[in-house]
Amino acid sequence: MGEMKKYPCFVIVILVVIFLLAQSINAAPTIFGPTGLIAIPTAESVKYKELSMAVDFIFAEALQQDWYYKMNLGTFEGCELGLTGGRYPEEGVFLNLKYYLMSDQARYPLSFAIGLENLTSLDNTSVYLVASKRFKGGLSAHLGFRSIFTTAELDPSIMGGIEYMLSNQLSILADFNGERKVYILNAGLHYYVTNDFSVRAAILDISNNRNSLFYTIGTSYSIFL
């Protein structure tokens, strides 16, 4: 993450346009792209012909800052195709692919998803398998497995998280994931201004010392094509 710089004008324009366009609660993308919680994908997805767009900014104690934009499209039933770009990754735009399946048509079904992240990355492409379950009372739980394909080795890890709806508009989230045998814990809030438009904020790596904490704030908006 580089030195702090002023936001690009077009990013501010995107945020304003998204806010003005915002008019049911839909799946929101993670910081890094696929639909999910804070940093981990879940076995939930955008619907067929639904387009989800988001922008997130990440700040550090040392005034470092990065920003990401992402778009996810329900290309056909059960399949999500997305891309991630911004100031980082430096390699360009990354592609993401997710296929999910619900176990039944119950009110609170168990769902599964398999996906690929950062398909165009040289050393950060990953494959994951995750299961998600919603419970009565507004709680959802997610648990999965991810392997990152680096240039030197295969880096496997467990990931998981929860989301609890405090009201019809506000939820609290927490998730964890690992890389190179080091696990980080994240926590955040998600506020749904409307069913299609939301704002969120989070603290990344809260289990570490204060100097390594990162803070995020962003927005997401969904529309059917």
Side-chain angles (χ1 to χ4, degrees):
M1 298 188 181
E3 297 180 353
M4 183 119 172
K5 293 183 179 181
K6 294 182 179 179
Y7 300 150
C9 292
F10 77 90
V11 174
I12 298 177
V13 172
I14 290 175
L15 289 173
V16 173
V17 171
I18 289 176
F19 183 81
L20 293 176
L21 288 175
Q23 285 302 311
S24 30
I25 292 175
N26 294 308
T30 64
I31 296 170
F32 305 111
T35 51
L37 298 179
I38 301 170
I40 71 162
T42 63
E44 298 173 337
S45 175
V46 293
K47 302 176 181 65
Y48 175 54
K49 290 187 177 181
E50 179 184 4
L51 175 64
S52 174
M53 302 169 285
V55 177
D56 283 288
F57 297 91
I58 302 180
F59 308 90
E61 289 288 338
L63 296 181
Q64 296 173 326
Q65 172 259 321
D66 276 327
W67 60 273
Y68 300 80
Y69 68 84
K70 42 258 164 166
M71 300 176 65
N72 293 308
L73 175 65
T75 53
F76 57 87
E77 196 66 34
C79 186
E80 172 184 296
L81 178 63
L83 59 84
T84 303
R87 183 175 177 187
Y88 177 88
E90 297 177 352
E91 297 173 47
V93 175
F94 287 167
L95 299 178
N96 306 301
L97 181 65
K98 178 196 288 190
Y99 178 76
Y100 76 102
L101 177 69
M102 288 189 178
S103 59
D104 52 49
Q105 296 300 316
R107 183 178 181 184
Y108 303 108
L110 178 65
S111 54
F112 302 89
I114 184 170
L116 293 166
E117 291 182 279
N118 305 330
L119 284 175
T120 53
S121 173
L122 294 177
D123 60 2
N124 198 35
T125 298
S126 65
V127 58
Y128 63 85
L129 177 66
V130 61
S132 298
K133 173 71 175 179
R134 290 191 176 272
F135 300 92
K136 185 177 179 180
L139 176 68
S140 64
H142 315 270
L143 184 64
F145 171 87
R146 170 191 275 153
S147 287
I148 301 175
F149 297 91
T150 67
T151 53
E153 59 182 355
L154 182 64
D155 181 19
S157 63
I158 298 173
M159 62 182 184
I162 59 172
E163 180 176 15
Y164 181 70
M165 298 297 300
L166 297 173
S167 69
N168 290 334
Q169 290 182 290
L170 180 64
S171 72
I172 55 176
L173 309 90
D175 65 20
F176 70 90
N177 64 321
E179 185 173 345
R180 296 180 176 87
K181 299 181 180 181
V182 176
Y183 283 83
I184 65 171
L185 177 65
N186 314 303
L189 295 172
H190 202 152
Y191 182 72
Y192 298 88
V193 181
T194 71
N195 289 333
D196 299 319
F197 176 68
S198 65
V199 295
R200 61 269 187 94
I203 301 176
L204 308 183
D205 201 5
I206 61 177
S207 59
N208 213 324
N209 62 65
R210 184 179 178 185
N211 291 331
S212 67
L213 289 179
F214 291 88
Y215 307 90
T216 74
I217 185 169
T219 64
S220 66
Y221 175 66
S222 296
I223 187 173
F224 282 90
L225 303 178

